[in-house]
Amino acid sequence: MRKYVLGSVAAFMVVASAGATNAAISFTFDTDNQGWRVGDVSGTVPNAFALAGWELGRLKLSDQANQTGVYAPQAVLGNQSGAYNGSISFDVSDAFNDRTAYAGLILYGNGLSAAVNLGPPSTDNNALTTFTLTLNEANFTRFDGGFFASATALSQAQFQGILGDLRGIAFTTEYNTGADDSRFDNAVFTGFVDPNAIAPVPEPATWAMMIIGFGAAGSIIRRRRAMLA
């Protein structure tokens, strides 16, 4: 009986752990900009200054800063340590891009910034390019500002420190030194947990395992009391 109780508890822990590992937060912009902001992504600290433009289920951006980009909302910031080796994917295009790879994704946190050079994306705003990045130090380098990720490597501890104190996540939408006409869509953050989300109600099967486990534990206690009486 004791093995059964432990097995039930272990099974519940596996279910809970799997749910956390596979957590994902998605933004599809079907009806509005979902709190995303536009700003300058050329600095070493986040610099968002207005709500991002929206049109027909996507974010719509023009040349609005030194290096225009969009910033993710608070739902994917804070302590995201669990996102290490998770991923971020998104769709982007710029009708006037100059065919250069810029610092396409920038993470700000713990006094550091990390980035990866991406691009060029599609010039067709009806056929966006999808980028998917695994979140670890092998795919990012230090970002010291400007338009490109540096050649300075980050240690595992440094990268995990950024994820543990995320102050901003920026995506470049400007791939041209002149005018820009960009679109951004379908941002998916795998391994992230919304710090303000309410914990989900367990599935019926999970409740059943918990009840069986607690019931079995209670039965053992009652038997021991009867033996001692």
Side-chain angles (χ1 to χ4, degrees):
M1 181 66 73
R2 193 173 304 166
K3 291 182 180 179
Y4 182 77
V5 173
L6 292 176
S8 298
V9 174
F12 170 69
M13 291 177 66
V14 168
V15 170
S17 174
T21 301
N22 296 324
I25 300 175
S26 300
F27 300 88
T28 56
F29 311 111
D30 292 337
T31 58
D32 58 32
N33 60 28
Q34 294 189 258
W36 284 62
R37 298 177 68 82
V38 63
D40 190 341
V41 299
S42 65
T44 56
V45 295
N47 182 18
F49 48 71
L51 287 173
W54 176 89
E55 182 180 87
L56 301 175
R58 298 175 297 179
L59 299 186
K60 179 180 179 180
L61 296 309
S62 58
D63 193 350
Q64 297 169 258
N66 183 43
Q67 181 73 346
T68 306
V70 289
Y71 284 87
Q74 192 65 38
V76 291
L77 302 183
N79 184 354
Q80 298 293 349
S81 299
Y84 184 73
N85 280 328
S87 66
I88 295 177
S89 67
F90 59 97
D91 301 342
V92 65
S93 65
D94 186 356
F96 301 109
N97 81 63
D98 57 14
R99 303 295 183 181
T100 300
Y102 292 102
L105 172 59
I106 307 166
L107 310 176
Y108 306 87
N110 199 33
L112 290 171
S113 301
V116 56
N117 292 326
L118 297 173
S122 170
T123 57
D124 183 350
N125 284 338
N126 292 311
L128 285 62
T129 298
T130 298
F131 292 109
T132 301
L133 282 303
T134 299
L135 298 174
N136 58 46
E137 65 283 356
N139 294 320
F140 289 77
T141 56
R142 186 181 177 111
F143 182 63
D144 297 319
F147 303 140
F148 309 101
S150 75
T152 305
L154 292 163
S155 69
Q156 179 177 335
Q158 286 176 319
F159 192 83
Q160 289 179 325
I162 292 172
L163 291 179
D165 180 41
L166 269 176
R167 303 299 179 90
I169 304 176
F171 302 80
T172 292
T173 58
E174 179 177 346
Y175 283 85
N176 186 35
T177 54
D180 291 278
D181 181 21
S182 309
R183 300 294 184 274
F184 184 90
D185 201 1
N186 297 321
V188 180
F189 299 78
T190 302
F192 286 69
V193 177
D194 185 344
N196 300 314
I198 298 174
V201 176
E203 295 287 338
T206 302
W207 277 118
M209 285 191 292
M210 292 174 64
I211 292 170
I212 291 172
F214 290 139
S219 176
I220 291 174
I221 293 173
R222 287 193 297 272
R223 289 182 182 178
R224 285 181 177 176
R225 286 177 177 172
M227 293 175 62
L228 294 174

